[in-house]
Amino acid sequence: MTSDQKPTLVFVGDLICSWNYGIVPEVDNVKSHFGDKINYKVLLGWLGPYNTQYMSELRDFLKDHWQYVNKASSQPFNYNILNENEII
């Protein structure tokens, strides 16, 4: 079977979505299971292209949200970034 005859798994994700980060282990499992039997394609977007909020302004929301995603996925988060005064 040539590469263009194999099925393609398309992952559409948001660059800053906590849940997209949270499912990385599952995506890795799919890739380990299917290996080169399927093609993989990643399409990335961003739901907040005009965001003007600083990380520090979103600190409380993101900390709670990341803790929730961490509990559900076991993915670690770097909470130090929440002290940054950069626009996300």
Side-chain angles (χ1 to χ4, degrees):
M1 179 179 291
T2 66
S3 101
D4 52 335
Q5 293 174 320
K6 294 190 284 187
T8 299
L9 175 65
V10 179
F11 177 81
V12 180
D14 181 340
L15 288 171
I16 63 167
C17 175
S18 305
W19 284 111
N20 285 185
Y21 171 68
I23 66 165
V24 165
E26 284 72 24
V27 173
D28 288 343
N29 287 340
V30 168
K31 290 177 82 173
S32 293
H33 178 76
F34 289 103
D36 62 356
K37 294 176 184 161
I38 64 175
N39 293 315
Y40 304 92
K41 185 173 186 172
V42 177
L43 300 174
L44 295 176
W46 187 23
L47 296 176
Y50 304 108
N51 183 38
T52 59
Q53 291 178 292
Y54 293 98
M55 288 295 278
S56 57
E57 293 175 299
L58 297 169
R59 181 181 306 126
D60 292 337
F61 165 75
L62 289 175
K63 183 179 178 190
D64 290 344
H65 180 63
W66 289 357
Q67 288 173 341
Y68 182 74
V69 174
N70 169 261
K71 186 176 179 180
S73 69
S74 298
Q75 282 288 85
F77 284 81
N78 179 355
Y79 296 93
N80 293 332
I81 195 172
L82 298 177
N83 297 318
E84 296 292 323
N85 284 322
E86 298 288 329
I87 297 173
I88 63 167

